[in-house]
Amino acid sequence: MSKATSRFAFVSSDTDDARAALESLSARYGQVPVAEAEIIIALGGDGFLLQTLRETMSTGKKVYGMHRGTIGFLMNEYRAGGLDERIANAVAETIRPLEMVAETHDGETISAPAINEVALWRQSYQTAKIRITVDGQVRLEELNCDGVMIATPAGSTAYNLSAHGPILPLDAPLLALTPVSPFRPRRWRGALLSNKATVRFDILEAEKRPVNAAADHTEVKAVASITVRESPTATATLLFDPNHSWNERILAEQFRY
């Protein structure tokens, strides 16, 4: 095993394809513990890559994903050969997660990071009623909806895009505020906010119209209020093949349909 390849830690999701790739690549290139590795090779889909990024956030480690899962928008193409050269030529993209602070009806405070988005959605047959405040100023007194989210540029092509939110270039200093099935105001399509903005959601008629919230996969039930901002300190770094960079994928996605 060479010095270059000794930097790699291979991790995989639980799918058969991902586990087989883990076994093959670790035998070929060697394997070191995640704590000692400079480069983490994540084998799976986008969900597993996000999990790996959360687990290695702010450690200085770089994550290179190879697609062995269902959805692979964030992943590089899987190839067993030439991994040293691909890593050496890869383009690094550093992203900052959101910080969610949720207050529940029981008075509990729960904090969690989100690389993709912080999303709220109704938990009964009735629409949610949500007040939206940006940087201390109420911008929408009452949004009647199925839900609402704040997405990072990294997450703008995920749930945000499915809800007809805008696609954001990775280096855009913006966050997407996007409603899900807005009923009143019916024509409101969301807003683009500075990535320095602090957004607060207050749940109106919360007992009658319960709302849950999630920061990526961390879910909080029966929330009373949610505050969201971009983390000023936490970072995660992704590596992409230069011929298939993140910005190129985002640009191509906007002309796909």
Side-chain angles (χ1 to χ4, degrees):
M1 180 173 63
S2 70
K3 259 188 190 179
T5 55
S6 67
R7 299 175 300 154
F8 298 162
F10 296 94
V11 295
S12 78
S13 66
D14 290 332
T15 67
D16 291 342
D17 284 348
R19 287 196 299 265
L22 172 64
E23 183 177 347
S24 173
L25 292 171
S26 58
R28 181 169 184 167
Y29 294 99
Q31 172 78 299
V32 298
V34 169
E36 299 174 15
E38 298 175 30
I39 310 293
I40 313 298
I41 311 295
L43 305 163
D46 286 349
F48 181 72
L49 180 65
L50 290 174
Q51 175 187 324
T52 304
L53 287 172
R54 285 192 295 272
E55 292 172 351
T56 59
M57 195 175 294
S58 298
T59 63
K61 300 180 187 300
K62 299 176 181 178
V63 179
Y64 181 86
M66 286 203 285
H67 187 208
R68 293 282 86 185
T70 303
I71 300 174
F73 186 83
L74 305 179
M75 311 298 278
N76 298 290
E77 178 187 354
Y78 177 76
R79 294 198 308 272
L83 187 56
D84 292 300
E85 183 178 358
R86 291 177 74 181
I87 296 297
N89 294 327
V91 176
E93 299 281 5
T94 299
I95 58 178
R96 289 190 180 275
L98 299 173
E99 292 179 345
M100 177 188 78
V101 179
E103 302 284 344
T104 72
H105 291 301
D106 297 330
E108 187 178 5
T109 300
I110 299 171
S111 301
I115 293 171
N116 268 2
E117 76 278 316
V118 172
L120 293 77
W121 64 95
R122 65 184 175 95
Q123 286 302 295
S124 74
Y125 66 92
Q126 293 183 303
T127 59
K129 290 188 176 182
I130 302 171
R131 178 187 300 122
I132 301 176
T133 302
V134 180
D135 291 333
Q137 182 175 349
V138 175
R139 291 295 182 178
L140 200 53
E141 190 65 49
E142 184 177 300
L143 171 65
N144 289 219
C145 60
D146 282 352
V148 64
M149 77 189 79
I150 298 181
T152 66
S156 67
T157 56
Y159 186 20
N160 173 74
L161 181 58
S162 297
H164 307 291
I167 296 175
L168 304 177
L170 192 62
D171 56 359
L174 298 170
L175 302 173
L177 175 61
T178 302
V180 180
S181 301
F183 182 68
R184 290 285 188 276
R186 192 180 297 274
R187 295 184 183 276
W188 189 64
R189 293 293 179 261
L192 290 175
L193 305 177
S194 165
N195 63 339
K196 305 303 181 186
T198 297
V199 182
R200 179 183 171 99
F201 301 101
D202 288 291
I203 312 307
L204 310 178
E205 301 180 24
E207 291 188 8
K208 180 181 179 182
R209 303 169 186 271
V211 170
N212 288 3
D216 288 347
H217 299 298
T218 301
E219 184 174 353
V220 183
K221 296 184 181 296
V223 296
S225 69
I226 296 285
T227 302
V228 183
R229 66 168 186 164
E230 184 182 79
S231 172
T233 56
T235 60
T237 302
L238 278 166
L239 295 176
F240 294 101
D241 291 333
N243 62 346
H244 198 40
S245 70
W246 185 298
N247 280 333
E248 170 57 30
R249 292 181 221 191
I250 286 176
L251 185 61
E253 189 75 16
Q254 295 178 81
F255 291 91
R256 182 164 295 177
Y257 303 107

